């Protein structure tokens, strides 16, 4: 339904919805890597040099493989990969919700995730669906004691995006807790899974560092030249201050609301005392989004994979649906209206990076 609203909005503006979904902002960088490899550098000014080495390789690798094996163009292949990953992510999120709280909460959890204001990204040639799919199934594997699968999927998540390290952190934290609880007497599968988890993220960071001539710091220098650093939220506070004092695009105001809501939802999640890996995974994603500087308007997209934050409202929605079905229906309808309208706005009308 959201894609249909976006398509209608694009056609009303004499735009092409498929082109907007497949080739907007970072999508162009990913498709360039899929077609030509890591060869592009954009010199904006002396202090800003944008290299495609900032983008992790799994998604463009999948796009390249699909475009090579099928008649699809790069953009078409990118959308198929994203849509498939979004479906896999929804199944993984449902599996976690059902495992913890039953099928009703699992359904509400997937519904709320699909109706986030930035859920339009799930239909675009972006990496968030791929990261969320590997993250959800890795976390499910941890919760069900499948440690080798958990580590393998965490490694793949780490190859998807810079914040994919959150999955490895969750696996490592859960493994450390099991070792502590078992006084060191644990299965070799746990050690194997823990060893595999950080390999994807770490191997790409080291590869970029070697290519840049600085093994440990090369990748972070690439990010810094993009204007993206971790400064414990100083840049975010500066952006918020500027927005409050001088105003700015509507997308900036929405970003403040969404990030503040994310912080509140994390507090509610902590109060719910969920399993440790979900708490660590969401916390690391939230910390990266809040504590990182650069591209303030992209922070809601960075939080899109943090689906455990939606567990408290999903449980509340199920309780409301059982007690007052019409109230729950109105809530879902309002969220759908916001999601579809805002998704069409940020893709078709807004001129701020997603």
């Amino acid at each position: 339904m959201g894609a249909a609203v976006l398509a209608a909005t694009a056609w009303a503006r004499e735009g092409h919805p498929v082109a907007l979904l497949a080739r907007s902002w970072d999508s162009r960088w990913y498709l360039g890597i899929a077609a030509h490899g890591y060869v592009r550098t954009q010199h904006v000014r002396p202090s800003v040099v944008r290299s495609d080495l900032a983008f992790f390789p799994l998604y463009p690798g999948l796009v390249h493989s699909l475009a090579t094996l099928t008649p699809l163009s790069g953009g078409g292949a990118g959308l198929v990969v994203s849509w498939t990953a979004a479906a896999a992510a929804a199944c993984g999120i449902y599996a976690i919700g059902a495992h913890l709280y039953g099928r009703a909460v699992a359904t509400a959890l997937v519904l709320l995730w699909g109706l986030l204001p930035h859920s339009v990204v799930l239909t675009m040639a972006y990496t968030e669906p791929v990261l969320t799919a590997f993250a959800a199934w890795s976390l499910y594997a941890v919760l069900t004691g499948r440690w080798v699968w958990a580590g393998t999927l965490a490694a793949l998540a780490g190859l998807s995006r810079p914040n994919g390290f959150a999955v490895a952190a969750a696996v490592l934290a859960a493994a450390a807790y099991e070792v502590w609880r078992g006084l060191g007497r644990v299965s070799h599968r746990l050690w194997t899974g823990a060893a595999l988890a950080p390999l994807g993220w770490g191997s790409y960071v080291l590869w970029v560092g070697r290519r840049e001539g600085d093994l440990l710091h090369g990748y972070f220098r690439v990010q810094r030249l993009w204007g993206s650093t971790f400064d414990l939220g100083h840049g975010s506070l500066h952006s918020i201050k500027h927005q409050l004092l001088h105003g700015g695009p509507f997308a900036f105001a929405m970003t403040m609301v969404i990030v503040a809501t994310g912080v509140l939802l994390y507090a509610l999640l902590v109060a719910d005392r969920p399993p440790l890996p979900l708490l660590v995974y969401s916390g690391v994603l939230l910390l990266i989004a809040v504590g990182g500087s650069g591209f303030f308007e992209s922070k809601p997209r960075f939080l899109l994979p943090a689906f455990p934050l939606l567990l408290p409202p999903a449980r509340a929605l199920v309780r409301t649906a059982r007690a007052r079905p019409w109230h729950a229906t109105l809530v879902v309808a309002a969220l759908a209206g916001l999601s579809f309208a805002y998704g069409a706005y940020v893709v078709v009308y807004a001129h701020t990076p997603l």
Side-chain angles (χ1 to χ4, degrees):
M1 291 175 65
V5 171
L6 187 147
T9 306
W11 283 324
R13 293 271 295 181
E14 298 184 354
H16 198 291
V18 174
L20 287 172
L21 292 174
R23 297 184 179 277
S24 292
W25 300 105
D26 288 356
S27 300
R28 294 192 289 267
W29 287 90
Y30 286 115
L31 296 182
I33 296 168
H36 309 293
Y38 287 98
V39 296
R40 183 182 176 191
T41 300
Q42 186 180 72
H43 295 267
V44 179
R45 54 182 181 270
S47 61
V48 179
V49 181
R50 295 172 180 169
S51 168
D52 54 12
L53 291 171
F55 298 92
F56 276 53
L58 182 60
Y59 177 76
L62 293 173
V63 173
H64 174 78
S65 299
L66 186 60
T68 301
L69 297 173
T70 68
L72 291 171
S73 65
L79 291 179
V80 170
V81 170
S82 294
W83 296 344
T84 304
C91 293
I93 293 170
Y94 180 89
I96 289 175
H99 177 75
L100 294 176
Y101 302 110
R103 292 186 295 176
V105 172
T107 302
L109 182 62
V110 175
L111 179 64
L112 291 176
W113 181 67
L115 292 180
L116 288 172
H118 268 62
S119 62
V120 65
V121 173
L122 301 175
T123 63
M124 301 178 69
Y126 266 76
T127 53
E128 275 71 21
V130 175
L131 170 58
T132 309
F134 285 121
W137 285 109
S138 176
L139 293 171
Y140 179 74
V142 171
L143 295 176
T144 55
R146 297 176 173 89
W147 290 101
V148 176
W149 273 111
T152 302
L153 294 170
L156 292 170
L159 283 171
S160 304
R161 287 192 50 76
N163 56 355
F165 179 75
V167 189
V171 174
L172 292 172
Y177 176 73
E178 289 296 320
V179 171
W180 174 78
R181 191 173 67 169
L183 299 177
R185 295 187 295 273
V186 294
S187 166
H188 66 88
R189 292 183 177 85
L190 183 146
W191 294 109
T192 303
L196 288 171
L199 287 183
W201 188 87
S203 61
Y204 182 69
V205 168
L206 292 176
W207 179 81
V208 173
R210 183 174 180 273
R211 179 162 165 167
E212 291 291 293
D214 187 348
L215 188 65
L216 297 180
H217 304 102
Y219 174 77
F220 302 102
R221 184 170 63 241
V222 169
Q223 285 281 15
R224 192 162 53 250
L225 288 172
W226 267 84
S228 180
T229 59
F230 186 79
D231 59 3
L232 297 176
H234 181 267
S236 297
L237 290 175
H238 177 76
S239 298
I240 292 171
K241 179 181 177 181
H242 185 274
Q243 172 73 24
L244 294 176
L245 294 178
H246 306 289
F250 178 63
F252 275 67
M254 278 294 292
T255 295
M256 290 194 301
V257 172
I258 292 169
V259 172
T261 303
V263 174
L264 174 62
L265 289 176
Y266 188 71
L268 295 176
L269 183 67
V270 172
D272 261 5
R273 301 181 67 182
L276 178 64
L278 300 185
L279 201 59
V280 172
Y281 170 70
S282 301
V284 172
L285 287 177
L286 187 62
L287 180 64
I288 292 172
V290 173
S293 66
F295 299 100
F296 180 75
E297 60 275 28
S298 297
K299 291 183 183 294
R301 174 167 63 84
F302 300 158
L303 289 175
L304 191 59
F307 62 88
L309 295 177
L310 301 172
L311 279 169
R315 297 177 69 189
L317 181 62
V318 170
R319 291 194 296 268
T320 302
R322 288 169 176 164
R324 301 178 181 85
W326 278 107
H327 290 190
T329 302
L330 289 174
V331 169
V332 172
L335 290 174
L338 171 64
S339 175
F340 300 161
Y342 188 66
Y345 165 76
V346 294
V347 175
V348 180
Y349 287 97
H351 298 289
T352 55
L354 265 173

